[in-house]
Amino acid sequence: MKKKKTPIILFIVVLLISTITLLLSIVGGIAFYNEKQYRENRLKESAAILAKQLSLALSVPVWNIDSKQIEILSKSIMKDKNLYGIIITSKDKILEDVILTRDKKWNSVSVKKRFEVKNWITYKNVIFYNNQDIGTVEVFITKKIKKKELTEYLI
């Protein structure tokens, strides 16, 4: 029996297709990693900005012990769907801690106890009034929604 020789052109085509596939996979992996890092950095910036804005907005209500205004501001900031929760504490414990988090349906809810911090982006900022430290605000942002958006972006 005579062996059938594989044409050299077939070998070259298979090699070329394999090489191109490998290169595209590497480029795709690098692009995914870069996009993931970019979005995570944006989330970190967002956490810092939210904490700063909230600490500035809360300075007068915390100083005046205005619980209603603190509640309004905290609920307003929780409209950001990337935000998992916030904790507002007064320095002298004159005010009860304000703790807002998410329920299973991702609605904002007020709770009495601190929630368990998982693999979230967190940022803590001091609340000042007339250069006096009067409390802190902690912001917790989840990567969950951004991961979902990233997956949808890639598909």
Side-chain angles (χ1 to χ4, degrees):
M1 281 198 169
K2 198 174 181 186
K3 276 189 164 179
K4 188 176 180 184
K5 287 191 172 183
T6 309
I8 189 87
I9 192 80
L10 181 62
F11 175 74
I12 292 172
V13 168
V14 169
L15 182 65
L16 192 62
I17 289 173
S18 300
T19 305
I20 291 171
T21 302
L22 180 64
L23 286 174
L24 287 175
S25 297
I26 291 170
V27 169
I30 291 169
F32 174 81
Y33 176 78
N34 287 338
E35 185 69 22
K36 181 181 172 196
Q37 288 302 110
Y38 171 76
R39 289 178 186 233
E40 195 167 307
N41 288 338
R42 291 291 308 257
L43 271 178
K44 288 176 183 175
E45 290 171 7
S46 176
I49 290 168
L50 283 172
K52 183 67 174 172
Q53 287 176 337
L54 196 53
S55 70
L56 290 172
L58 287 168
S59 63
V60 174
V62 170
W63 179 258
N64 291 333
I65 313 172
D66 188 351
S67 299
K68 187 68 178 164
Q69 191 64 29
I70 293 169
E71 180 184 342
I72 290 168
L73 286 167
S74 57
K75 284 185 178 177
S76 171
I77 205 86
M78 285 295 288
K79 291 187 181 195
D80 183 342
K81 291 299 180 185
N82 291 314
L83 197 57
Y84 179 80
I86 56 172
I87 299 174
I88 302 164
T89 56
S90 63
K91 181 119 180 150
D92 299 330
K93 299 294 180 191
I94 294 171
L95 287 168
E96 187 176 324
D97 290 353
V98 175
I99 304 171
L100 288 164
T101 187
R102 301 280 181 189
D103 62 11
K104 291 184 191 277
K105 294 182 180 178
W106 212 247
N107 296 315
S108 173
V109 293
S110 181
V111 295
K112 296 293 180 195
K113 290 181 4 182
R114 285 180 153 265
F115 44 84
E116 180 185 343
V117 178
K118 298 180 182 175
N119 187 23
W120 299 322
I121 297 169
T122 62
Y123 200 87
K124 187 175 187 176
N125 213 11
V126 177
I127 302 169
F128 286 106
Y129 185 81
N130 287 339
N131 296 324
Q132 183 179 352
D133 175 357
I134 60 171
T136 59
V137 60
E138 294 174 82
V139 174
F140 302 88
I141 293 185
T142 179
K143 299 176 190 176
K144 177 178 156 183
I145 291 175
K146 288 297 177 190
K147 282 183 182 176
K148 183 179 175 186
E149 287 176 7
L150 183 60
T151 304
E152 289 172 356
Y153 168 78
L154 292 173
I155 295 173

